[in-house]
Amino acid sequence: MKVAAIDIGSNAVRLLIAEVEGRKIKETCYTKRYITKLGENINSQQLLSDTSIERTITALKDFVITINEHKVDRVHAVATSAVREAKNPELLTAGAKELGLRIEIIDGDTEAGLIYDGVTAGIDTEGKKVLMFDIGGGSTEFIYADPEKGRAGISIPMGVVKMAEMYNFKQVVNMEHMDRMRIPVFSLIDQVLKTLECKPDVLIGSAGTPTTLAAMDMQMTTYDQKKVNGYVIPIEKIKEHFDKLCSMTSEERLNVPGMEQGREEIIIPGILIAGELMNMIGIYDLQVSDYGLREGLAIAIANV
């Protein structure tokens, strides 16, 4: 079955058109992503800004045109942290409705479940104790899977767009600020690990921070999904990239091979979260998943 899955996140809006067979992505027909920063100012105002809504609707218009060209069997769009926290989500949902799209605003548990289904569609985790994490713009999802105990997930309101509002990442990073940021990050991750009671053998990261790290580590000038998915990057290399990026302005970061435009500021808090997690659980190799929520959503659409 050919389906179209749209993931409306706090930082980016992403489309996947795919052929799905059972619980697997048989063929990826088309992918597209726009960084629309829908979650900007959510911390202070709890409102979606007019400009971010406009950027998102513009992206959705393009997606609808593409979806119609591909003649898909089913379409579904979901929105995550920024929209579920906003006091004015109807401004976005009404605009999407005019395009013929109904947006489902999903909770953190549903989001975590879709991420798990997406990641496991692209990486074999059978028989392993796995901790997955997905760093979004407004929240971060953690999913722990144990072959003997089953699966549990948790969503926390810690995301890279929110963190970028609190600190200035446009300039060379003030490392005193970074030390202050580590305290709340450590505290939140500590709560997650205690709640999930996890002792993983494997750590898998999805979403823009891990995939950008992989692209930078391979010095990609053109993003290659097949090379990124499953790529393993050790913590020493992650720290090397982190230190290098912190020593640059956001404009200079755009010249780094593998850096996606629009991610030059939020990549810093994203790497901070990933690095702290790795140190806390004692796993020093990060496996990267290019698959995530939208792939999980595509599987869910096809199996309704």
Side-chain angles (χ1 to χ4, degrees):
M1 177 183 290
K2 183 184 281 190
V3 301
I6 299 174
D7 167 16
I8 302 169
S10 302
N11 186 57
V13 180
R14 306 186 304 154
L15 167 68
L16 167 67
I17 298 176
E19 290 280 357
V20 180
E21 192 172 280
R23 306 293 299 178
K24 295 292 182 181
I25 307 288
K26 184 181 177 183
E27 180 186 357
T28 298
C29 305
Y30 182 88
T31 62
K32 189 69 175 283
R33 175 170 60 188
Y34 289 103
I35 291 182
T36 62
K37 296 186 178 180
L38 186 59
E40 64 183 4
N41 301 321
I42 281 290
N43 266 357
S44 55
Q45 300 177 12
Q46 289 188 298
L47 294 171
L48 302 175
S49 69
D50 291 341
T51 52
S52 70
I53 291 172
E54 185 178 341
R55 290 193 296 264
T56 303
I57 293 297
T58 299
L60 293 177
K61 281 181 182 176
D62 180 60
F63 288 175
V64 168
I65 291 169
T66 302
I67 290 167
N68 290 335
E69 290 173 349
H70 279 261
K71 298 178 180 178
V72 303
D73 300 303
R74 292 177 185 168
V75 182
H76 197 67
V78 298
T80 55
S81 176
V83 183
R84 66 176 172 249
E85 291 180 25
K87 294 178 179 178
N88 60 341
E90 69 282 351
L91 296 182
L92 176 67
T93 55
K97 191 174 182 181
E98 291 179 5
L99 301 175
L101 281 177
R102 185 182 73 84
I103 297 175
E104 179 187 1
I105 303 171
I106 59 173
D107 60 28
D109 289 341
T110 302
E111 185 176 356
L114 291 173
I115 291 165
Y116 176 84
D117 289 343
V119 170
T120 53
I123 295 176
D124 182 13
T125 63
E126 189 173 353
K128 300 173 185 175
K129 295 179 182 178
V130 181
L131 178 63
M132 303 175 187
F133 68 98
D134 184 292
I135 305 170
S139 66
T140 299
E141 281 63 48
F142 297 84
I143 308 100
Y144 180 57
D146 184 322
E148 295 180 0
K149 298 179 180 179
R151 187 182 84 204
I154 189 170
S155 176
I156 60 172
M158 175 179 68
V160 291
V161 173
K162 286 183 177 179
M163 293 173 74
E165 284 182 17
M166 297 167 62
Y167 298 93
N168 178 13
F169 296 114
K170 290 184 173 66
Q171 306 303 322
V172 173
V173 176
N174 183 323
M175 296 314 289
E176 288 184 8
H177 287 176
M178 190 60 63
D179 289 339
R180 287 202 296 271
M181 286 184 67
R182 280 193 170 91
I183 296 171
V185 169
F186 179 93
S187 179
L188 283 168
I189 293 176
D190 186 54
Q191 291 176 31
V192 168
L193 297 179
K194 286 177 179 175
T195 301
L196 294 178
E197 298 180 337
C198 56
K199 295 182 179 179
D201 304 315
V202 179
L203 181 66
I204 300 176
S206 65
T209 294
T211 57
T212 301
L213 273 170
M216 289 192 302
D217 204 52
M218 289 183 273
Q219 298 186 323
M220 285 184 173
T221 53
T222 302
Y223 188 84
D224 188 329
Q225 179 191 38
K226 291 181 179 179
K227 288 183 179 179
V228 167
N229 194 57
Y231 187 78
V232 177
I233 180 167
I235 196 167
E236 293 84 4
K237 293 291 291 184
I238 292 174
K239 187 178 186 306
E240 185 180 311
H241 290 298
F242 183 70
D243 291 344
K244 179 181 177 181
L245 293 171
C246 285
S247 70
M248 299 175 169
T249 65
S250 58
E251 289 184 1
E252 290 170 336
R253 291 175 207 136
L254 283 171
N255 296 320
V256 176
M259 179 64 67
E260 178 187 22
Q261 186 167 7
R263 200 166 292 280
E264 63 274 13
E265 292 177 44
I266 61 175
I267 188 68
I268 302 292
I271 299 176
L272 175 64
I273 293 170
E276 284 297 299
L277 176 61
M278 293 174 77
N279 281 319
M280 290 174 72
I281 62 173
I283 292 180
Y284 302 112
D285 289 305
L286 174 63
Q287 190 166 13
V288 177
S289 173
D290 183 75
Y291 284 28
L293 190 150
R294 64 178 176 176
E295 285 76 18
L297 178 59
I299 291 167
I301 297 168
N303 287 275
V304 172

